[in-house]
Amino acid sequence: MGGDLAPNAPVLGALLALDDLGPEHSVQLVGRIAEVTSELDALLAGDFGSLAPHRARLELIDADDVIAMNDKPSAILRRPHSSMAVGLRLHADGHAD
């Protein structure tokens, strides 16, 4: 899981999105499970505890590698276990929108 202020911003963003979306929606978070779970637990134990009911609508998908901002785009070909590669494969295989 990458991006600015990761994993905090993407995890919190997913919870806030689920708060606005209907119950038929879910979100997949692709990244290092331990880091994502730790951030999720911290958010729900703190100021964002009211979002805890949405936890059941999050699917955590493990990806143990990361493509850094300074890596060339072709890095995805050498890192099939990166969050980017795993996420793209989920979409290509019809398991994500």
Side-chain angles (χ1 to χ4, degrees), residues 21-37:
L21 296 169
E24 69 277 9
H25 296 280
S26 63
V27 171
Q28 295 172 317
L29 294 174
V30 181
R32 293 178 174 147
I33 291 286
E35 292 176 19
V36 175
T37 301

Side-chain angles (χ1 to χ4, degrees), residues 10-67:
V11 173
L12 179 55
L15 287 168
L16 292 172
L18 289 171
D19 197 43
D20 284 343
L21 296 169
E24 69 277 9
H25 296 280
S26 63
V27 171
Q28 295 172 317
L29 294 174
V30 181
R32 293 178 174 147
I33 291 286
E35 292 176 19
V36 175
T37 301
S38 177
E39 186 62 35
L40 184 57
D41 291 346
L43 287 167
L44 296 178
D47 294 338
F48 299 97
S50 64
L51 299 175
H54 303 307
R55 172 63 179 91
R57 294 166 50 207
L58 286 174
E59 180 183 3
L60 306 183
I61 299 167
D62 195 36
D64 61 3
D65 200 358
V66 175
I67 295 177

Side-chain angles (χ1 to χ4, degrees), residues 1-11 30-31 65-67 69 83-84:
M1 174 172 295
D4 293 340
L5 305 175
N8 178 273
V11 173
V30 181
D65 200 358
V66 175
I67 295 177
M69 291 295 294
S83 56
M84 188 177 296

